[in-house]
Amino acid sequence: MKPRILFVDDESNILQGLRRMLRSMRNEWTMDFAEGGEEALKTLEGESYDVLVTDMKMPGVGGAELLDQVAERYPQMLRFILSGEADTEATFRTVVTSHQFFPKPSNSERLVEVISHCLQRRSEFETIDTGALVTGVRCLATSRSTFDALANLLDSESATIDQAVELFADEPALAAKVMQLANSAYFGIGDPVFSPKAAANLLGWDVLRALLINESFVSAFPSGPCRAAYEQAIAQARSVGELSAWIAEQRGASPQAIEQARLAGLLHNLGRLLLCDQAGDDYARVVALVEEGKGLDDAEREVFATSHVVFGAYLAAAWGMPSAVVEAIRHHRQPAVSEQNEDARLPLLAVHAALGIVSASDAGEPADTVATHLDTEFLGQQGCAESIADWTEGWRRLRSAA
């Protein structure tokens, strides 16, 4: 069955333009067009859709209200904004109910690329309800220490953008969200950025502060059976992000590629964080199975019918992460499966190697056991099998210097 997409705008000429622009996708998608928010809600009552693309400023039911209602009633839908402008209040409302914001007029190729990429990631789920864990999430919880640090920052009269940037760059949930906002046109930016630090600096302290005050934008992970697993996943993500960037640097990568490797490492556990946060009781069963000796991937498939990397890649795609980062999140545990072209493969290589080295180190294993955590054939194909010992020693030095 073809994916169903609903486009919403109060101007009929805009809808006609979309029809013409997207004519080449008629064999791939079923596309319907609603003139305004009220008509869209009536249409949604009678049909099931996979994607909503809506304007913001519309009479009656505006884009922000439409997104509020769709996010509540139909959490399985991907929700995109295609608009020429949006007032500040509406923008702050929609940063948690929409997935990406495209400026109007938009490049049709970019719109098709993003929607197709997200739908491809969603197709890996066996049921729509499972995928809704991704599209239904508004934000991910932070670690307790970061949540406390953010509270102190908001209470401080002398808080600076530099202090905020450091927190956003070191916390997976905040890093993913700030990248989403900076790479979309929510605040009129929309220029490609490749690091959370750059994204946070672009947004500025006034915007970040307003977002942090919004209770729907950030929350601390509550106490529960997954608390320890959540904090462990965040700690591992920070280590893997740091080492991934270092490995990319050792490979002579460009500054942009180094930052993509760092981001991919920081977000490699995005799916685990999502499942702990949104399905804590179920993920507690995964934790119990692992404690009984079952492998993590097998335990997750037993409970969720798929692995956390599928959830993480779908969320990263929906939030507009760079494609190389999404690919690294999806395939870092089995890198040989990836079909990524060679130029974009560095983040995947770096994260796979970094995770193996960090995992062995955290378990207190001898350095010569690192290879048991890695796909050595894949690393050999990339010409870096002989580098593992040096990278392992490099991680030891990085930890000692910290």
Side-chain angles (χ1 to χ4, degrees):
M1 183 181 297
K2 293 190 294 185
R4 297 183 64 92
I5 303 176
L6 180 62
F7 293 89
V8 185
D9 200 294
D10 64 304
E11 296 185 34
S12 59
N13 62 317
I14 297 293
L15 295 178
Q16 289 294 338
L18 286 169
R19 280 192 178 95
R20 289 192 298 271
M21 272 195 340
L22 300 170
R23 187 174 290 124
S24 62
M25 298 303 296
R26 286 179 299 178
N27 293 330
E28 303 294 328
W29 303 338
T30 296
M31 293 177 283
D32 292 322
F33 301 84
E35 195 165 326
E38 292 180 9
E39 183 177 327
L41 290 173
K42 291 178 182 176
T43 301
L44 287 167
E45 289 176 358
E47 298 286 350
S48 176
Y49 287 87
D50 303 290
V51 183
L52 173 76
V53 182
T54 182
D55 187 23
M56 281 292 287
K57 284 199 168 184
M58 299 184 292
V61 177
E65 183 180 348
L66 176 61
L67 287 163
D68 285 341
Q69 294 198 42
V70 171
E72 182 67 28
R73 300 180 191 177
Y74 314 104
Q76 78 281 359
M77 290 182 66
L78 287 156
R79 301 176 296 278
F80 300 123
I81 298 170
L82 176 59
S83 184
E85 58 180 323
D87 60 62
T88 302
E89 181 182 353
T91 298
F92 279 105
R93 281 178 62 186
T94 57
V95 294
V96 293
T97 55
S98 60
H99 296 112
Q100 294 186 51
F101 189 130
F102 299 95
K104 188 196 292 182
S106 179
N107 182 322
S108 61
E109 292 181 1
R110 176 59 179 161
L111 186 62
V112 168
E113 177 188 9
V114 169
I115 293 175
S116 298
H117 190 201
C118 290
L119 290 173
Q120 178 189 6
R121 293 301 172 189
R122 198 192 71 159
S123 69
E124 295 190 78
F125 294 98
E126 290 187 0
T127 68
I128 292 177
D129 288 343
T130 304
L133 285 173
V134 173
T135 48
V137 68
R138 301 190 176 203
C139 67
L140 293 177
T142 69
S143 63
R144 176 62 64 180
S145 60
T146 295
F147 186 81
D148 291 342
L150 288 171
N152 292 335
L153 197 65
L154 289 173
D155 287 341
S156 172
E157 294 182 359
S158 58
T160 66
I161 181 62
D162 290 339
Q163 292 172 305
V165 164
E166 290 304 316
L167 288 174
F168 273 81
D170 198 41
E171 184 75 21
L174 296 178
K177 202 67 182 174
V178 77
M179 287 291 294
Q180 175 198 19
L181 300 183
N183 278 317
S184 289
Y186 288 99
F187 297 99
I189 304 171
D191 294 326
V193 293
F194 300 96
S195 77
K197 283 188 176 182
N201 272 310
L202 273 175
L203 292 174
W205 175 232
D206 288 343
V207 169
L208 293 179
R209 181 181 176 83
L211 290 169
L212 292 172
I213 292 172
N214 184 343
E215 293 182 358
S216 297
F217 185 81
V218 62
S219 61
F221 188 70
S223 58
C226 283
R227 172 68 183 277
Y230 198 84
E231 297 284 352
Q232 181 185 41
I234 291 175
Q236 184 188 70
R238 290 169 176 159
S239 295
V240 172
E242 180 183 1
L243 183 54
S244 294
W246 185 84
I247 289 173
E249 186 176 1
Q250 301 308 299
R251 297 279 288 176
S254 66
Q256 175 181 314
I258 291 171
E259 289 307 321
Q260 287 202 14
R262 187 191 310 277
L263 179 64
L266 184 66
L267 301 185
H268 84 278
N269 270 336
L270 199 60
R272 289 180 67 189
L273 299 179
L274 170 73
L275 293 173
C276 283
D277 194 6
Q278 299 296 303
D281 289 341
D282 287 332
Y283 206 79
R285 291 166 53 202
V286 173
V287 173
L289 289 169
V290 171
E291 290 175 348
E292 292 171 5
K294 182 161 286 194
L296 176 62
D297 289 344
D298 290 338
E300 289 176 340
R301 290 190 184 97
E302 182 173 326
V303 176
F304 294 102
T306 191
S307 165
H308 72 271
V309 297
V310 175
F311 287 93
Y314 185 25
L315 182 58
W319 283 5
M321 299 303 114
S323 59
V325 172
V326 176
E327 190 74 5
I329 293 171
R330 175 63 183 87
H331 292 298
H332 67 268
R333 296 179 71 83
Q334 295 179 306
V337 177
S338 172
E339 297 180 356
Q340 189 84 310
N341 65 58
E342 191 167 346
D343 291 340
R345 196 175 292 170
L346 181 60
L348 172 62
L349 164 66
V351 174
H352 175 68
L355 178 59
I357 293 168
V358 168
S359 296
S361 175
D362 288 348
E365 298 176 9
D368 59 8
T369 67
V370 168
T372 64
H373 295 269
L374 300 172
D375 183 336
T376 53
E377 182 177 351
F378 169 79
L379 294 174
Q381 291 170 352
Q382 309 309 309
C384 57
E386 302 302 319
S387 301
I388 298 304
D390 291 338
W391 293 348
T392 301
E393 174 60 20
W395 178 236
R396 187 195 65 79
R397 293 197 304 270
L398 287 171
R399 292 192 69 187
S400 297

